[in-house]
Amino acid sequence: MIAGIAAYVKNLYPDIKVIGVEPHDAAAMTLSCANKRIVELDHVGLFAEGVAVKRVGDETFRLCNALVDEWVNVGTDEICAAIKDGFNDTRTVLEPAGALGIAGVKNYVSRKHCEGKTFVCITSGANMNFEKLRFVSERADETEASVFVSIPETPGSFGRLYNCVHPRAVTEFTYRYHKDALRDHKLGADIYMSFRVAHQRDLDVVMGSLEGEGFRALNVQGNEMAKEHARYLVGGRASSVHNERVFRFEFPERPGALNNFLTTLGARWNVSLFHYRNHGHDVGRVLVGIQVEETENEQLSLFLAELGFNFVDESYNPVYRQFLVSKGQVESG
């Protein structure tokens, strides 16, 4: 498409700059123009399948090499964000290849610090399915920052952690009680946490606050393994947790609701497991583990009834007992 557009635009308005956009993992034309010859790729990424070619055409290469002024390469997350931008502006869901122009403009303006310029991006293609849309919605939020944090399991630690992030909205919170032999056998919590930030400096402020509190914090914003896999594997079995009961809760999704829920619940019992993810619903859904002595079960039942949230006791759910309870506890239970 860019070959024809460049030929037309440069013929009428030769001073207009034409910039091409390709994904990082399918940048056949970028490499070919940079080397002044056609370069065939060994493999290409298929996310933006409309531009996923290993070898560009001879005539399109001749035109692009002669007429396209510059090339920009963008990542998958940038493309997802561009699809979201396109939808917000036009209420049209573009396919990944169709949103490349938007991603390219944002990338170019950010890198070049452009001001007072006019950009026109070509968008085309709406060959989108729900399977891919689910992935796009998960990766499109450029305002969401993600960190791994280790905190001591001492009174007030969660409150100190929350204060480091407040008033930013928490979008994901996952942690599990653990016993780490590398840290003097002290009990603690490994936490995966996501929250909304206004810009990079805002994230730097949060990281500084976490370190100031003595927490071990790791920014995993650009870590593909963390975003795709590790976020779902935080905690696992907890051999150091006893007398644990697990519940699914629903609570109204509003600012501060997550903090209020956790602090209310943790005021009397230790919270040993917590998983929450904001999916844009009006109801927050969480999985919570609570350490309760057998003599306190009746008190817990009264407390949960007074709490007023819908809940389901999952303590004997086979999935919980298979993947989140130590083998020794399962056998003895």
Side-chain angles (χ1 to χ4, degrees), residues 17 25 47 49 51 53 56 65 77 87 91 102 119 126 129 190 204 231 255 287:
K17 180 176 285 190
D25 56 4
F47 180 64
E49 57 188 351
V51 293
V53 295
V56 299
N65 191 47
D77 286 2
F87 176 78
R91 288 298 183 264
I102 301 173
F119 291 86
N129 57 53
D190 283 334
D204 293 339
R231 70 194 302 176
L287 182 68

Short mmCIF file of all heavy atoms in Angstrom, two decimals, residues 17 25 47 49 51 53 56 65 77 87 91 102 119 126 129 190 204 231 255 287:
data_model
loop_
_atom_site.label_atom_id
_atom_site.label_comp_id
_atom_site.label_asym_id
_atom_site.label_seq_id
_atom_site.Cartn_x
_atom_site.Cartn_y
_atom_site.Cartn_z
N LYS A 17 6.88 14.39 3.63
CA LYS A 17 7.67 13.23 4.04
C LYS A 17 6.75 12.01 4.15
O LYS A 17 5.70 12.07 4.78
CB LYS A 17 8.36 13.51 5.38
CG LYS A 17 9.21 12.35 5.89
CD LYS A 17 9.95 12.68 7.18
CE LYS A 17 11.12 13.60 6.89
NZ LYS A 17 11.98 13.75 8.10
N ASP A 25 9.07 -7.55 14.35
CA ASP A 25 9.33 -8.94 13.95
C ASP A 25 8.87 -9.25 12.53
O ASP A 25 8.77 -10.41 12.15
CB ASP A 25 8.67 -9.90 14.94
CG ASP A 25 7.17 -9.66 15.10
OD1 ASP A 25 6.63 -8.79 14.39
OD2 ASP A 25 6.54 -10.34 15.93
N PHE A 47 1.44 -11.61 14.37
CA PHE A 47 0.41 -10.83 15.05
C PHE A 47 -0.25 -9.86 14.06
O PHE A 47 -1.47 -9.79 13.95
CB PHE A 47 0.99 -10.06 16.24
CG PHE A 47 -0.01 -9.23 16.96
CD1 PHE A 47 -1.09 -9.81 17.62
CD2 PHE A 47 0.11 -7.84 16.98
CE1 PHE A 47 -2.04 -9.03 18.28
CE2 PHE A 47 -0.83 -7.06 17.65
CZ PHE A 47 -1.91 -7.66 18.30
N GLU A 49 -0.69 -9.96 10.76
CA GLU A 49 -0.52 -10.89 9.65
C GLU A 49 -0.70 -10.22 8.29
O GLU A 49 -0.20 -10.73 7.28
CB GLU A 49 -1.50 -12.04 9.80
CG GLU A 49 -2.96 -11.62 9.89
CD GLU A 49 -3.87 -12.80 10.23
OE1 GLU A 49 -3.37 -13.93 10.22
OE2 GLU A 49 -5.06 -12.56 10.51
N VAL A 51 0.79 -7.72 7.21
CA VAL A 51 2.08 -7.22 6.70
C VAL A 51 3.19 -8.23 6.99
O VAL A 51 4.38 -7.89 6.93
CB VAL A 51 2.43 -5.86 7.34
CG1 VAL A 51 1.47 -4.79 6.87
CG2 VAL A 51 2.43 -5.95 8.87
N VAL A 53 5.35 -10.59 5.80
CA VAL A 53 5.95 -11.19 4.60
C VAL A 53 7.46 -11.36 4.83
O VAL A 53 8.10 -10.49 5.42
CB VAL A 53 5.71 -10.33 3.34
CG1 VAL A 53 4.23 -10.28 3.00
CG2 VAL A 53 6.26 -8.92 3.52
N VAL A 56 9.83 -8.98 0.32
CA VAL A 56 9.01 -7.96 -0.34
C VAL A 56 9.12 -8.11 -1.85
O VAL A 56 10.08 -8.71 -2.37
CB VAL A 56 9.45 -6.54 0.09
CG1 VAL A 56 9.28 -6.38 1.59
CG2 VAL A 56 10.89 -6.25 -0.33
N ASN A 65 12.13 2.10 -1.91
CA ASN A 65 13.53 2.49 -1.77
C ASN A 65 13.78 3.88 -2.33
O ASN A 65 14.62 4.65 -1.82
CB ASN A 65 14.43 1.46 -2.45
CG ASN A 65 15.89 1.66 -2.13
OD1 ASN A 65 16.26 1.85 -0.98
ND2 ASN A 65 16.73 1.62 -3.15
N ASP A 77 2.89 -4.41 21.75
CA ASP A 77 2.14 -3.60 22.69
C ASP A 77 1.77 -2.25 22.10
O ASP A 77 0.70 -1.71 22.36
CB ASP A 77 2.93 -3.40 23.99
CG ASP A 77 2.95 -4.65 24.85
OD1 ASP A 77 2.38 -5.67 24.43
OD2 ASP A 77 3.55 -4.61 25.95
N PHE A 87 -10.11 2.82 18.26
CA PHE A 87 -11.47 2.57 18.72
C PHE A 87 -12.00 3.75 19.51
O PHE A 87 -13.16 4.16 19.34
CB PHE A 87 -11.51 1.31 19.58
CG PHE A 87 -12.86 1.03 20.18
CD1 PHE A 87 -13.87 0.47 19.41
CD2 PHE A 87 -13.14 1.38 21.50
CE1 PHE A 87 -15.13 0.24 19.95
CE2 PHE A 87 -14.39 1.16 22.05
CZ PHE A 87 -15.39 0.59 21.27
N ARG A 91 -14.68 4.53 17.21
CA ARG A 91 -15.53 3.38 17.54
C ARG A 91 -15.45 2.31 16.46
O ARG A 91 -16.41 1.60 16.16
CB ARG A 91 -16.98 3.82 17.78
CG ARG A 91 -17.17 4.57 19.08
CD ARG A 91 -16.81 3.65 20.25
NE ARG A 91 -17.02 4.23 21.56
CZ ARG A 91 -16.10 4.84 22.30
NH1 ARG A 91 -14.87 4.96 21.83
NH2 ARG A 91 -16.37 5.30 23.50
N ILE A 102 -1.14 4.35 13.11
CA ILE A 102 -1.32 5.05 14.39
C ILE A 102 -0.14 4.77 15.31
O ILE A 102 0.42 5.68 15.93
CB ILE A 102 -2.64 4.61 15.07
CG1 ILE A 102 -3.83 4.91 14.17
CG2 ILE A 102 -2.80 5.30 16.42
CD1 ILE A 102 -5.15 4.37 14.70
N PHE A 119 0.54 15.33 11.03
CA PHE A 119 0.74 13.94 10.60
C PHE A 119 -0.58 13.36 10.12
O PHE A 119 -1.64 13.62 10.70
CB PHE A 119 1.25 13.09 11.76
CG PHE A 119 2.66 13.42 12.19
CD1 PHE A 119 2.89 14.43 13.11
CD2 PHE A 119 3.74 12.74 11.67
CE1 PHE A 119 4.18 14.74 13.52
CE2 PHE A 119 5.02 13.04 12.05
CZ PHE A 119 5.25 14.05 12.99
N ALA A 126 -10.14 -4.35 9.12
CA ALA A 126 -10.83 -4.62 10.38
C ALA A 126 -11.08 -6.12 10.52
O ALA A 126 -12.11 -6.54 11.02
CB ALA A 126 -12.14 -3.84 10.44
N ASN A 129 -10.78 -10.86 15.28
CA ASN A 129 -11.64 -11.87 15.91
C ASN A 129 -11.55 -11.72 17.43
O ASN A 129 -10.66 -11.06 17.96
CB ASN A 129 -11.24 -13.29 15.47
CG ASN A 129 -9.79 -13.60 15.77
OD1 ASN A 129 -9.32 -13.45 16.89
ND2 ASN A 129 -9.06 -14.06 14.75
N ASP A 190 5.50 -12.41 48.35
CA ASP A 190 5.92 -12.00 47.01
C ASP A 190 4.68 -11.52 46.29
O ASP A 190 3.69 -12.25 46.18
CB ASP A 190 6.53 -13.17 46.24
CG ASP A 190 7.95 -13.45 46.71
OD1 ASP A 190 8.59 -12.53 47.22
OD2 ASP A 190 8.40 -14.61 46.57
N ASP A 204 8.55 6.16 38.32
CA ASP A 204 9.80 6.35 39.06
C ASP A 204 9.53 6.78 40.49
O ASP A 204 10.24 6.36 41.42
CB ASP A 204 10.67 7.39 38.36
CG ASP A 204 11.17 6.92 37.00
OD1 ASP A 204 11.18 5.70 36.76
OD2 ASP A 204 11.53 7.78 36.17
N ARG A 231 3.25 -13.59 35.90
CA ARG A 231 2.16 -12.95 36.66
C ARG A 231 1.13 -13.97 37.13
O ARG A 231 0.43 -13.75 38.12
CB ARG A 231 1.50 -11.86 35.82
CG ARG A 231 0.69 -12.40 34.65
CD ARG A 231 0.33 -11.35 33.63
NE ARG A 231 -0.43 -10.24 34.18
CZ ARG A 231 -0.78 -9.17 33.47
NH1 ARG A 231 -0.39 -9.06 32.21
NH2 ARG A 231 -1.48 -8.21 34.01
N PRO A 255 -13.20 3.39 43.41
CA PRO A 255 -11.90 3.81 43.93
C PRO A 255 -11.75 3.51 45.41
O PRO A 255 -12.62 3.83 46.22
CB PRO A 255 -11.90 5.33 43.66
CG PRO A 255 -12.80 5.49 42.48
CD PRO A 255 -13.88 4.46 42.65
N LEU A 287 -9.84 -13.78 44.91
CA LEU A 287 -9.65 -15.06 45.59
C LEU A 287 -8.77 -14.77 46.80
O LEU A 287 -7.69 -14.18 46.66
CB LEU A 287 -8.98 -16.07 44.67
CG LEU A 287 -8.77 -17.47 45.25
CD1 LEU A 287 -10.12 -18.17 45.43
CD2 LEU A 287 -7.86 -18.30 44.34
#
